[in-house]
Amino acid sequence: MTELTSRTIAQLRDGFRSGEFSAREVAETYNAAVAAAKALNAYTVETPDDALYAAEAADKARGQGNLPPLAGIPLGIKDLFATRGVNTTAGSRILKGFKPPYESTVSANLRKAGAGMLGKLNMDEFAMGSSNETSAYGPVISPWRRKDSNVGLTPGGSSGGSAAAVAASIAAGATGTDTGGSIRQPAAFAGICGIKPTYGRCSRWGIVSFASSLDQAGPMAKTVRDCAILLEAMAGFDPKDSTSLDLPVPQWESGLSSNLSGKRVGIPKEYRIDGVPAEINALWDQGIEWLKDAGATLVEISLPHTKYALPTYYIIAPAEASSNLARYDGVRYGLRVEGEGLNGMYSATRAEGFGAEVKRRIMIGTYVLSAGFYDAYFTKAQKVRALIKQDFRKAFDRCDVILTPTAPSAAFGIGETTDPLAMYLNDVFAVPASLAGLPAMSVPGGLDGQGLPLGLHLIGNELDEQTVLNAGLAIEERSGFTARPEKWW
Amino acid sequence: MSVSIEQVRHIAKLARIAMSDEEIERLAPELNNILGWVEQLGEVNTDGVEPLTAVIDQKLRLRDDVVTEGNIRDEILANTPEAQHGFFAVPKVIE
């Protein structure tokens, strides 16, 4: 039954419904695959009983002919989502042992839709990182390897556990979160699909906050259709999140169509940057041809403030993080380290609980928000952010979807990138859409010369996930990408 | 602008993160690197630009000021490193 794990969510759903196999068989097969994949370090907690419990409910419901959409589908949940009674630590020592007495809205929506949970997925600490190396649990090892090499590669980050689990077929799909590329860059590195919807589509309630004006949940899965299925279940209005969009959830799956006639695809000239490998630019050109073949017309567009997106992000995200992470004080949950008096306890707890990258960002954020510097850094960044948003508004007068590469490189080796600034550059193509709150997706385009996956990136207009998914589907159908990592774990 | 060792020490204090002199000396050039890089925003003309406050236009909702979820003291205290008499316990702050 191992072949069950190679199926897509749509195939599992159909096979389960037609009686080809039971949900229990699916859950047991996945539980065994998870237990056998410890070398990847993708899961921080395994919850086989949870997966079985949901499967039993699905099998029972099948008999009664009333099945919720994700009945019998076992998923991995990023460790950033609060899960009732199950350790939720955001990849950090400071949340050690935290068992939320509540469930995040997104994971609750997935459970209501019938999905089971295989476990919690490893991630960069507080979602701050692009390689999974900042996790308190140690890095996730990508299931992919370079040709003729045993060097451990990163699955990307911060949703690296999610990407690795889907690529290695130890989860049928997974939740991710994306603040500045954390769904899309790992999806590209792992040869899978991942979509960040419009800001506000998925409730942030119960997701450990990093930068609240940017944080957005989304699905990661093997195919575009699977992403549509999962996103439909995850999204929806939630009165508990003040920025949740009070709009009906579109039926993205039934709206899927790879016929792009009448659609205009924008190619931003500012995304042709120096130092990007020729293979990535070649794939981008190939992507343009695929979309033309699907009926789309091409338009050159300009997003003039693109080069300022990363520095803008690295003011706004740390500023919001420094405020959000002030709650980790050793009083209400997680780690407490005694010190001299109350302030001493706070400082000792935070010194021991946070890792180096999180401390770096809290320090940057505290500085840019401090008296005398607020306007020069934070207000300035919010103004540039408004200009970046305006760039996209103008561009979407001329096109319906934008095509770019997802990341400026393929997956790199663990420990290969030590300079923080060089690490931040991983998200150069992903961050602008985050700053503008736009839906954006990575789909696999092909393998590079070393046999590693490369992704193509689609950015849509506000609320237009459908065009993003449809363009993704057009690429998926034409790329014929079916490569999976060879099992070594 | 660049931050001095003294400023880094001050920021660490504001952020409530205990740091040794060594850590502060290591962090100062890292922070200066990042701050030097973000300062390229100075090139952008933002005269007359309103800072962005909401990335997707939407109305902020109001709700009645009533208790929606109450009587869950024990759940709230369940994760605390130290609770006493139904409260969070912290080191003594008043002598």
Side-chain angles (χ1 to χ4, degrees):
Chain A
M1 275 298 185
T2 17
E3 52 101 21
L4 277 179
T5 59
S6 61
R7 299 194 190 206
T8 66
I9 289 172
Q11 289 166 345
L12 285 174
R13 181 184 62 185
D14 298 346
F16 165 64
R17 274 160 206 252
S18 70
E20 194 189 333
F21 43 77
S22 68
R24 191 180 178 89
E25 285 171 288
V26 177
E28 281 175 346
T29 308
Y30 265 104
N31 281 341
V34 169
K38 303 248 193 281
L40 301 175
N41 199 25
Y43 282 90
T44 57
V45 186
E46 294 172 17
T47 55
D49 292 344
D50 190 302
L52 283 178
Y53 180 82
E56 271 160 23
D59 285 332
K60 213 170 134 197
R62 184 173 60 176
Q64 293 154 0
N66 182 25
L67 285 176
L70 292 173
I73 308 295
L75 303 175
I77 303 295
K78 187 178 182 181
D79 196 29
L80 207 61
F81 292 80
T83 42
R84 188 194 300 271
V86 177
N87 274 9
T88 298
T89 62
S92 182
R93 274 186 302 280
I94 209 158
L95 271 171
K96 197 173 170 219
F98 177 57
K99 288 188 169 63
Y102 54 86
E103 182 85 15
S104 82
T105 299
V106 163
S107 54
N109 287 347
L110 288 168
R111 288 174 187 276
K112 255 181 265 158
M117 178 170 74
L118 292 160
K120 301 298 288 288
L121 292 162
N122 201 352
M123 52 178 284
D124 279 297
E125 185 178 10
F126 286 106
M128 298 178 192
S130 305
S131 66
N132 237 274
E133 291 165 293
T134 73
S135 169
Y137 299 90
V140 176
I141 314 295
S142 173
W144 290 89
R145 284 175 166 177
R146 294 180 184 125
K147 252 183 229 162
D148 308 318
S149 161
N150 290 333
V151 173
L153 300 180
T154 157
S158 68
S159 310
S162 307
V166 173
S169 294
I170 54 171
T175 61
T177 62
D178 192 313
T179 302
S182 279
I183 285 175
R184 293 161 285 155
Q185 180 255 20
F189 279 17
I192 62 162
C193 298
I195 182 167
K196 175 195 95 70
T198 306
Y199 180 80
R201 278 279 192 210
C202 288
S203 169
R204 290 182 292 107
W205 194 83
I207 300 175
V208 176
S209 302
F210 162 14
S212 303
S213 79
L214 296 153
D215 296 344
Q216 189 53 210
M220 302 171 76
K222 287 191 175 93
T223 64
V224 173
R225 177 172 298 272
D226 285 1
C227 283
I229 294 170
L230 290 176
L231 186 57
E232 268 182 49
M234 292 164 72
F237 174 62
D238 179 8
K240 288 190 283 197
D241 170 2
S242 64
T243 57
S244 173
L245 292 168
D246 191 359
L247 294 171
V249 178
Q251 297 192 312
W252 288 302
E253 189 196 4
S254 60
L256 284 175
S257 160
S258 57
N259 179 352
L260 301 182
S261 25
K263 294 290 179 193
R264 300 158 302 170
V265 178
I267 307 297
K269 58 179 188 216
E270 291 81 3
Y271 280 60
R272 297 259 176 212
I273 57 172
D274 292 340
V276 172
E279 283 174 300
I280 285 179
N281 282 322
L283 176 67
W284 192 9
D285 293 335
Q286 176 64 68
I288 293 173
E289 292 309 314
W290 284 332
L291 294 182
K292 273 203 233 167
D293 183 59
T297 50
L298 270 289
V299 202
E300 184 170 288
I301 56 164
S302 176
L303 299 166
H305 296 91
T306 298
K307 82 173 261 217
Y308 301 108
L310 262 190
T312 299
Y313 177 86
Y314 275 97
I315 292 173
I316 292 169
E320 294 187 20
S322 77
S323 299
N324 272 327
L325 272 59
R327 73 191 63 178
Y328 303 103
D329 56 6
V331 175
R332 287 158 295 168
Y333 28 65
L335 184 74
R336 174 187 290 201
V337 179
E338 297 305 332
E340 208 169 304
L342 185 60
N343 271 316
M345 186 275 283
Y346 291 154
S347 302
T349 298
R350 291 162 65 82
E352 198 170 310
F354 292 136
E357 180 60 24
V358 171
K359 284 181 190 171
R360 198 178 286 127
R361 295 206 199 182
I362 291 175
M363 294 287 284
I364 293 280
T366 305
Y367 180 70
V368 301
L369 291 176
S370 63
F373 300 104
Y374 186 95
D375 280 341
Y377 289 102
F378 189 70
T379 308
K380 179 77 183 182
Q382 291 289 41
K383 286 180 179 178
V384 179
R385 187 176 182 184
L387 292 173
I388 290 167
K389 177 82 188 165
Q390 194 185 77
D391 283 355
F392 278 109
R393 281 217 175 96
K394 286 183 186 159
F396 281 116
D397 285 340
R398 302 188 53 228
C399 69
D400 303 296
V401 64
I402 294 170
L403 177 74
T404 81
T406 308
S409 74
F412 46 90
I414 289 165
E416 269 175 24
T417 305
T418 50
D419 174 39
L421 278 182
M423 189 65 91
Y424 298 168
L425 286 175
N426 266 288
D427 292 318
V428 65
F429 299 137
V431 150
S434 296
L435 289 169
L438 300 172
M441 174 169 211
S442 181
V443 285
L447 299 177
D448 73 359
Q450 296 187 301
L452 297 181
L454 298 174
L456 284 167
H457 184 218
L458 296 150
I459 307 170
N461 205 350
E462 282 178 23
L463 306 177
D464 192 12
E465 287 81 4
Q466 191 72 63
T467 302
V468 171
L469 290 161
N470 288 353
L473 185 66
I475 289 173
E476 185 177 78
E477 286 176 359
R478 283 162 183 79
S479 73
F481 185 92
T482 53
R484 292 287 156 227
E486 208 170 299
K487 192 168 183 298
W488 55 262
W489 57 92
Chain B
M1 281 184 273
S2 76
V3 289
S4 63
I5 298 285
E6 264 325 295
Q7 275 175 301
V8 176
R9 191 169 283 124
H10 178 62
I11 301 163
K13 196 179 156 204
L14 290 176
R16 301 289 188 276
I17 301 174
M19 280 191 194
S20 65
D21 288 348
E22 267 180 344
E23 273 179 283
I24 285 178
E25 275 162 35
R26 201 185 57 233
L27 202 53
E30 282 181 7
L31 296 186
N32 277 320
N33 238 349
I34 297 167
L35 291 168
W37 171 71
V38 300
E39 275 166 19
Q40 59 177 296
L41 295 191
E43 298 165 15
V44 184
N45 181 352
T46 51
D47 294 349
V49 177
E50 280 297 311
L52 186 140
T53 48
V55 74
I56 303 291
D57 285 332
Q58 55 179 323
K59 286 197 189 100
L60 283 176
R61 300 179 301 275
L62 295 174
R63 66 165 176 81
D64 293 334
D65 186 16
V66 291
V67 175
T68 51
E69 266 181 295
N71 295 323
I72 51 168
R73 186 193 72 184
D74 292 347
E75 279 188 31
I76 288 171
L77 290 175
N79 278 287
T80 183
E82 200 183 339
Q84 282 176 18
H85 318 296
F87 292 94
F88 295 114
V90 296
K92 202 163 148 186
V93 280
I94 301 163
E95 288 305 320

